[in-house]
Amino acid sequence: MPDWIHPVLTGAFLAVSYRVVRSSGVGLRVAVLVLAVLNACLLWVVAVAGPPWGVPVVAVVSLAAAVYHLVGAARDAVARLRVVGPPEFRELVRRVAEASGPQVMGVCVLFTGAVALTAFADDSRPEGRQFRLLPGPECPFCLVEEQIRDFLGAGDPLLGEYRTHLAAGSSRHLLVRRPSEQDPWTGRLRDRTVYRVPPAFRRPPCTVHDPLLGRP
């Protein structure tokens, strides 16, 4: 077997692996971990069994594939994202609430002070589409709590749980769902280490949440 076959096959395998991992839908951290381990193992194989030029060539191919798919993933994310105003935001929420069939909606206040809404893949049922309500005069936390009350009820314990996390500096991701229109809505809070409460200068004054978050 010629010595160049190892780097050629390895480079091709890595290029395909980036594509597979990107299309798998795994999170960024898992993708980075999997590809880092894969690169380390394959580069070691090339270093042991391949020619001296094999490692730098495979490394360049891997880097090019990584940059290509990173740019592609960023482009896909931007294509799924749409900025909306408060009226359109509430209209999207209303469409979720009134739609038939299984429904899932996620709402979260980002560190920037914007509110992220993930809901409904076409005009009538945009699943996987992401919408952003940019910081404005409305308190973003009040907007999230409004969804808790509207979907789950004013007395749902998730409201108190949400405020407890806010007081600890964690902006949890609210998920509400129902299997069908005959079933009741259920909700839970997802934790992500990057979901932090935005600083005071990135959110408007609020008589409800300012005392909770330490702003007089």
Side-chain angles (χ1 to χ4, degrees):
M1 181 182 294
D3 61 356
W4 54 264
I5 197 68
H6 286 96
V8 169
L9 291 178
T10 301
F13 181 76
L14 280 173
V16 172
S17 298
Y18 279 101
R19 176 65 181 176
V20 170
V21 171
R22 175 185 164 190
S23 60
S24 68
V26 299
L28 179 61
R29 293 183 181 181
V30 175
V32 170
L33 177 61
V34 169
L35 291 171
V37 172
L38 187 61
N39 271 274
C41 293
L42 292 178
L43 286 172
W44 178 81
V45 171
V46 172
V48 171
W53 52 265
V55 170
V57 168
V58 172
V60 169
V61 171
S62 178
L63 179 61
V67 171
Y68 173 80
H69 286 289
L70 186 61
V71 171
R75 188 168 54 244
D76 292 345
V78 170
R80 291 195 303 268
L81 183 64
R82 197 174 96 206
V83 176
V84 298
E88 191 174 3
F89 181 92
R90 288 187 167 89
E91 173 62 18
L92 288 167
V93 172
R94 185 190 64 79
R95 287 166 57 189
V96 173
E98 296 179 353
S100 60
Q103 288 294 320
V104 179
M105 183 184 75
V107 186
C108 179
V109 179
L110 305 177
F111 184 73
T112 60
V115 179
L117 169 68
T118 304
F120 336 58
D122 53 42
D123 289 338
S124 60
R125 289 174 53 83
E127 268 100 16
R129 288 293 305 275
Q130 295 184 7
F131 305 88
R132 294 287 168 86
L133 176 62
L134 299 181
E138 291 192 61
C139 172
F141 303 114
C142 286
L143 197 57
V144 174
E145 292 184 2
E146 178 183 310
Q147 312 317 315
I148 296 177
R149 285 189 289 267
D150 289 349
F151 282 87
L152 306 177
D156 194 279
L158 208 63
L159 183 60
E161 184 183 344
Y162 181 71
R163 291 188 177 182
T164 299
H165 289 301
L166 287 182
S170 176
S171 178
R172 296 295 171 104
H173 189 174
L174 168 68
L175 279 180
V176 292
R177 66 177 67 209
R178 65 177 178 181
S180 71
E181 55 187 321
Q182 287 78 36
D183 294 299
W185 289 95
T186 60
R188 66 184 180 93
L189 299 177
R190 295 175 65 195
D191 181 25
R192 292 291 185 272
T193 56
V194 295
Y195 293 168
R196 308 303 301 169
V197 170
F201 70 89
R202 287 182 172 171
R203 59 180 194 266
C206 175
T207 57
V208 174
H209 293 97
D210 282 351
L212 186 68
L213 299 174
R215 182 168 67 180

